[in-house]
Amino acid sequence: MSASEPSTAARDAAAALAARTVNCEPSVDALAAKIDKGPPLRVKLGVDPTAPDIHLGHCVVLGKLREFQDAGHTAVLVIGDWTARVGDPSGRSSTRPMLSEQEIIANAQTFRDQAFHILDPARTEVRANGEWFGGMGLAPLFELASRATINQLLRRNDFATRMDEDRPVSVLELLYPLLQAYDSVALASDVELGGTDQLFNLMLGREIQARYGMDQQVVLTLPILAGTDGLQKMSKSLGNYIGVTDSPEEQFGKVMSIPDAVMPEYYRLMFPTEPMPERHPGEEKRRLGRLVVARFYGPDAAEAAEAHFNRVIRDREAPIDAPEYRLPDGDVHVPALLVDALGIASRSEARRLIQQGGVAIESGPIRDLDLPADALRGRVLRAGKRRFVRLV
């Protein structure tokens, strides 16, 4: 073995850390060479706090960062409090609205707290890119801008598509990849992680590091987890997400709603040591639901969440802890009751739910809009699959 070739131990370590990634640029050998050099690598993950909550989609890349931690490397979690003001244009067909400073601060704190559901806080270096951008004057900004070209930035498919269709691309958006790349310079990162939609930004980080005379980082990208619809990437704005702070019952119920076809992807990306055997899809989905809940709440909560699902969804019985609602005397207008007691958004929505047969008591669906209180008192009222109230 020549002096320039990585050791067998480093190759094995790099291969393990690159497992389940889509891209490892420039190569797994380049990662192995960095491992051989030591000391522990600085492994960067940048996140913009454009929303407060973390979902399972975030956990894929956070889980890979935890793997680097467990291998003895330094996890550097970059909270993009300044880049969030610009907004990442990745995958966007239009310019993002800018968030207020208050929204960014609140989101950043929540994101930081929730990230420690996956990362070891004792081994995580948390940085905000406002540390270097907040005091950056025009001269350093001009210096940074001089190290990239418009040609480079316009290689992004989303920029090129929008320009071809004569849709606006703001100057701030053009700066975004450059600012994210500079994070790698400021932190002297050895490795950067991200989703496949971040490949352009991460590779630009390598180029900018080289132009500042630094060793270039190795880039690893992770697959994008499909949402509960099985079609689009998991996103809170699309409503197809499973949040890490959702209740155990919500987590289990949402897992049970995912299409069978995406279950292998969830197992592979979220629980790589739990291969999905060839069993009944319903049983495998239940096991996946238990694994998700146990990861964030423990095995006892997972069993309780499954029991709750069986009672409320499968058997359509009221949960044991269903809240109570005190009925007035006389006639009850059922749409108003649904709004007051179960949080249905409006009376018109409540009427539609009644017409569709989605409102029931133990004896069956409710069809009337007005009922005497005595016909309802002592019963459990259900709207949809998961909303229950005990009428007293």
Side-chain angles (χ1 to χ4, degrees), residues 296-307:
F296 301 108
Y297 293 98
D300 291 345
E303 290 184 14
E306 183 175 18

Side-chain angles (χ1 to χ4, degrees), residues 141-153:
L141 181 61
F142 290 166
E143 171 67 14
L144 172 60
S146 72
R147 296 177 186 269
T149 68
I150 291 294
N151 308 65
Q152 281 178 299
L153 300 179

Side-chain angles (χ1 to χ4, degrees), residues 38-367:
L41 304 181
R42 291 177 60 76
V43 186
K44 169 196 166 194
L45 171 63
V47 291
D48 285 345
T50 52
D53 295 315
I54 291 179
H55 51 62
L56 295 193
H58 297 113
C59 293
V60 174
V61 68
L62 284 167
K64 179 59 68 175
L65 186 56
R66 178 60 187 258
E67 287 181 39
F68 273 92
Q69 281 188 318
D70 292 343
H73 303 292
T74 301
V76 185
L77 180 65
V78 184
I79 304 294
D81 57 338
W82 270 69
T83 42
R85 301 179 187 211
V86 177
D88 183 4
S90 298
R92 301 293 292 186
S93 58
S94 61
T95 301
R96 288 179 186 264
M98 290 184 68
L99 296 177
S100 70
E101 184 175 359
Q102 291 75 22
E103 288 175 309
I104 291 170
I105 291 172
N107 290 352
Q109 183 59 52
T110 303
F111 198 105
R112 184 184 295 111
D113 293 343
Q114 293 182 9
F116 291 139
H117 284 275
I118 295 97
L119 301 177
D120 179 357
R123 295 182 292 163
T124 304
E125 180 182 323
V126 181
R127 305 290 292 273
N129 57 18
E131 295 175 33
W132 43 93
F133 290 132
M136 180 180 277
L138 284 178
L141 181 61
F142 290 166
E143 171 67 14
L144 172 60
S146 72
R147 296 177 186 269
T149 68
I150 291 294
N151 308 65
Q152 281 178 299
L153 300 179
L154 292 182
R155 288 205 304 261
R156 293 182 60 116
N157 290 334
D158 36 23
F159 286 163
T161 300
R162 281 157 62 181
M163 292 186 68
D164 287 345
E165 296 175 356
D166 199 28
R167 284 183 279 123
V169 177
S170 75
V171 174
L172 273 178
E173 286 182 292
L174 285 175
L175 282 176
Y176 181 92
L178 201 54
L179 295 175
Q180 182 171 314
Y182 187 78
D183 290 347
S184 295
V185 173
L187 294 165
S189 63
D190 297 301
V191 177
E192 184 167 15
L193 307 179
T196 51
D197 58 342
Q198 293 294 311
L199 181 60
F200 178 93
N201 294 341
L202 275 52
M203 293 299 288
L204 186 61
R206 282 176 48 83
E207 295 183 41
I208 296 301
Q209 281 181 318
R211 296 198 179 200
Y212 275 88
M214 303 175 65
D215 288 341
Q216 292 176 290
Q217 64 189 14
V218 172
V219 166
L220 296 176
T221 65
L222 282 298
I224 304 296
L225 186 68
T228 54
D229 56 3
L231 300 173
Q232 302 185 75
K233 74 174 185 177
M234 189 171 288
S235 165
K236 189 165 186 181
S237 62
L238 295 174
N240 64 351
Y241 70 101
I242 302 172
V244 302
T245 57
D246 284 348
S247 70
E249 293 79 16
E250 286 180 296
Q251 288 181 348
F252 191 91
K254 287 180 178 180
V255 169
M256 292 300 292
S257 73
I258 67 173
D260 293 348
V262 300
M263 266 198 299
E265 177 185 0
Y266 274 66
Y267 272 98
R268 182 174 67 88
L269 298 180
M270 291 295 302
F271 304 100
T273 61
E274 294 279 350
M276 190 178 81
E278 297 294 329
R279 295 197 301 184
H280 190 279
E283 291 303 315
E284 288 310 316
K285 199 175 294 184
R286 284 175 173 274
R287 187 164 72 95
L288 178 61
R290 292 193 298 270
L291 287 169
V292 168
V293 175
R295 180 166 187 172
F296 301 108
Y297 293 98
D300 291 345
E303 290 184 14
E306 183 175 18
H308 179 275
F309 179 88
N310 291 342
R311 179 182 178 86
V312 174
I313 307 301
R314 186 190 67 186
D315 302 333
R316 297 205 170 191
E317 296 178 12
I320 296 171
D321 57 351
E324 293 185 347
Y325 181 83
R326 186 168 297 280
L327 290 170
D329 293 329
D331 287 343
V332 174
H333 188 54
V334 178
L337 174 63
L338 293 171
V339 171
D340 293 342
L342 287 173
I344 302 300
S346 65
R347 295 189 183 192
S348 59
E349 182 179 336
R351 282 192 289 271
R352 283 195 297 272
L353 198 58
I354 292 169
Q355 291 166 359
Q356 293 165 1
V359 178
I361 54 177
E362 294 97 318
S363 57
I366 291 177
R367 302 293 184 186

